[in-house]
Amino acid sequence: MVIRMEHEELMIAAWQARESAYAPYSRFAVGAAVMTDDGQIFTGCNVENLSYGLTMCAERVAIGVAVATGARNFRTIAVVADTEVPISPCGACRQVMAEFAVPRVILANRSERLEFTLDELLPRAAAGILDREE
Ligand code: THU
């Protein structure tokens, strides 16, 4: 039950962050909210650039904001967009989630919410790199 309430909070934060999306090129607004182990929430939106490849996805912005304040232990990240089916994070964002071991990922549109473990979204993320353990 506690977890459920947390998810509601995260969703509200992610939808609110989406309002700030800077997406003049794709016109596709995305919001993200990440919750730390101690219950703090940090948010992000996508930030595009005329040089398209410089675009930052909402989830990476949210994680970056959290890390910049010293928060690194995450419980859940939520990503939202007004799509027909719940949005699916790009490979780069999955890798960043893996870097900070975000265990649970919620993907949502206006009517549907899917929950995944990071391992489902990016299996064997760290295996074999510099002998780092998963
Ligand atoms: N985008 C995100 O912010 N997160 C995702 O999970 C998928 C895509 C952004 C990047 C770009 O600004 C726009 O959505 C279209 O790809």
Side-chain angles (χ1 to χ4, degrees):
M1 200 51 164
V2 175
I3 300 258
R4 279 241 166 276
M5 285 303 293
E6 283 183 4
H7 288 184
E8 295 316 313
E9 243 188 289
L10 257 193
M11 298 308 295
I12 290 166
W15 283 110
Q16 204 170 337
R18 181 176 171 272
E19 297 289 317
S20 302
Y22 177 71
Y25 306 107
S26 72
R27 307 240 169 242
F28 184 72
V30 184
V34 66
M35 182 173 279
T36 60
D37 277 353
D38 60 3
Q40 294 183 80
I41 291 178
F42 297 90
T43 61
C45 60
N46 50 335
V47 182
E48 298 190 342
N49 194 278
L50 177 59
S51 177
Y52 296 173
L54 298 182
T55 290
M56 293 182 285
C57 293
E59 9 335 22
R60 262 180 292 159
V61 171
I63 291 171
V65 166
V67 171
T69 74
R72 287 184 191 170
N73 297 314
F74 302 115
R75 197 185 287 176
T76 311
I77 189 165
V79 191
V80 303
D82 201 356
T83 40
E84 257 179 51
V85 295
I87 188 164
S88 188
C90 76
C93 286
R94 294 176 197 213
Q95 186 70 38
V96 171
M97 290 175 198
E99 182 68 29
F100 293 101
V102 184
R104 184 185 297 120
V105 185
I106 302 174
L107 306 174
N109 62 10
R110 298 258 181 225
S111 57
E112 199 180 351
R113 208 183 283 182
L114 304 175
E115 269 188 55
F116 296 94
T117 63
L118 181 60
D119 201 53
E120 287 174 313
L121 297 181
L122 192 66
R124 291 175 53 75
I129 298 180
L130 300 178
D131 292 329
R132 189 170 144 177
E133 285 177 22
E134 276 180 277

